[in-house]
């Protein structure tokens, strides 16, 4: 009977690795022993403690949906005595169902798993609400608070939420015999998980962005890290990743486009595709270093449809713009540029909060509601869409002149 030795009671990393190996060998849930290591008496490394002998030849690979793996991770955050076996059963049954082998893995108690996961989600919401109530102590520079210990490990899995909400400042939360403390660099745990590595924990039951008060965050990296987990609008579920802004956090000049394109979605950086390369060329021509400016988009995910195997750009709609608005507001608030250049009608309409016709609004300063200035110009992709070489050269020259105007406005 295979035995899996876990480093601690929240050891998602070892459970996941062992689960993959055991399922590849078609090991039934009822044939596995899950054992939590006693660090005072055991010197064995976490993992499979017994060799897999007399087992079927391993299958080549298998896939697990994100939702099922999330449910398993939520179950592991409970303190149910059979949580590791139940989570394994969820994965085993899922794989067997996909392969048409229902008899290879008996159906787990889905209702019980969902109920346990809902308890963890409730604990997660309560913990995140508590983060807003931590009190700041000037003498130590630390945020502190106390609460009753929940019957789950949700707080430990949400320590990063608190850290980001408090912009990486030191904090301490007491929960009876359990304590979490972030000293500005490292998370320290007291209690059952005292020597556990947070990197081995399952992901939080809710996305980091859920319940986060973005307006309270005073660190641009903290906002960016939170935005990477954002699933507010449907397009976030289809894009490869969030593409947040980048550049100088104290830039005098900020550029805002519409949304990342295909290459940006794959790489995870704004303005790196064909339009971005043309943008960089224009910046260089007028003597603006890209590292000295801040570049971002109104919408942080790539919206597209498929045609003949290609991903074709779709214009961002009102719902996507509204969903991403808190991220753009945070970028503007934290970077505090002197001039904000709006690249294209989508960005201009989102920032000015009214319909914008580029031909009427282009190339002159516009006062913004935060006492800074704005400047409207075309998006670099507009230059690429011109039908002739002559038109492309003409529109590129006009774009360069707009960038020269932007440079003069921040230099005056």
């Amino acid at each position: 009977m295979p035995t899996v030795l876990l480093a601690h009671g929240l050891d998602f990393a070892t459970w996941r690795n062992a689960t993959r190996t055991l399922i590849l060998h078609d090991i039934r849930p009822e044939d596995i022993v899950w054992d939590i290591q006693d660090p005072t008496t055991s010197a064995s490394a976490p993992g499979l403690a017994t060799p897999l002998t007399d087992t079927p030849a391993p299958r080549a690979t298998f896939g697990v949906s994100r939702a099922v793996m999330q449910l398993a991770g939520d179950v592991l955050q409970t303190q149910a005595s059979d949580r590791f076996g139940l989570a394994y059963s969820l994965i085993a049954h899922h794989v067997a169902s996909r392969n048409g082998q229902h008899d290879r893995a008996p159906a787990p108690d889905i209702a019980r798993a969902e109920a346990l996961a809902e308890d963890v989600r409730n604990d997660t919401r309560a913990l995140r609400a508590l983060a807003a109530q931590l009190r700041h102590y000037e003498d130590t520079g630390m945020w502190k608070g106390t609460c009753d210990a929940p019957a789950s490990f949700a707080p430990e899995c949400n320590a990063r939420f608190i850290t980001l909400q408090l912009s990486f400042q030191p904090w301490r939360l007491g929960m009876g015999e359990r304590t979490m403390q972030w000293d500005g660099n490292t998370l320290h745990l007291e209690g059952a998980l005292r020597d556990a590595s947070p990197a081995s924990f399952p992901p939080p039951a809710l996305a980091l962005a859920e319940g986060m008060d973005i307006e309270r965050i005073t660190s641009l990296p903290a906002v960016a890290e939170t935005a990477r987990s954002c699933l507010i609008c449907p397009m976030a579920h289809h894009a490869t990743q969030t593409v947040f802004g980048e550049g100088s956090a104290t830039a005098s000049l900020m550029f805002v486009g519409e949304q990342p394109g295909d290459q940006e979605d794959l790489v995870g950086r704004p303005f790196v595709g064909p339009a971005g390369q043309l943008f960089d060329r224009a910046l260089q021509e007028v003597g603006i270093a890209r590292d000295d400016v801040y570049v971002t988009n109104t919408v942080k995910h790539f919206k597209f449809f498929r045609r003949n195997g290609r991903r074709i750009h779709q214009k961002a709609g009102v719902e996507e713009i509204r969903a991403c608005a808190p991220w753009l507001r945070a970028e503007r608030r934290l970077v505090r540029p002197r001039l904000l250049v709006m690249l294209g009608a989508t960005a201009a309409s989102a920032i000015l909060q009214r319909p914008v016709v580029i031909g009427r609004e282009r190339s002159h300063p516009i006062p913004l509601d935060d006492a800074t200035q704005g400047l409207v110009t075309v998006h670099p992709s507009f230059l690429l869409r011109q039908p002739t070489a002559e038109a492309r050269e003409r529109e590129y020259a006009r774009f360069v002149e707009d960038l020269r105007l932007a440079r003069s406005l921040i230099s005056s």
Side-chain angles (χ1 to χ4, degrees), residues 29-80:
E30 63 268 25
D31 293 334
I32 306 168
V33 174
W34 301 92
D35 192 15
I36 298 175
Q37 183 182 53
D38 183 347
T40 63
T41 60
S42 175
S44 301
L48 276 169
T50 53
L52 293 177
T53 58
D54 300 326
T55 62
R59 70 175 83 227
T61 186
F62 69 87
V64 179
S65 73
R66 182 183 300 178
V68 173
M69 185 58 76
Q70 180 68 58
L71 177 60
D74 296 348
V75 168
L76 293 187
Q77 293 179 51
T78 72
Q79 296 186 15

Side-chain angles (χ1 to χ4, degrees), residues 16 35 111 115 150 189 248 251 276 290 300-301 348 368 377 384 394 407:
R16 181 180 53 199
D35 192 15
L189 303 173
S248 172
R290 173 141 174 181
K300 311 303 184 188
H301 289 103
L368 299 180
T377 186
L384 298 174
R394 181 179 64 251
R407 183 181 179 184

Side-chain angles (χ1 to χ4, degrees), residues 374-385:
L375 183 69
V376 174
T377 186
V378 296
H379 193 283
S381 62
F382 170 78
L383 311 178
L384 298 174
R385 294 195 300 271

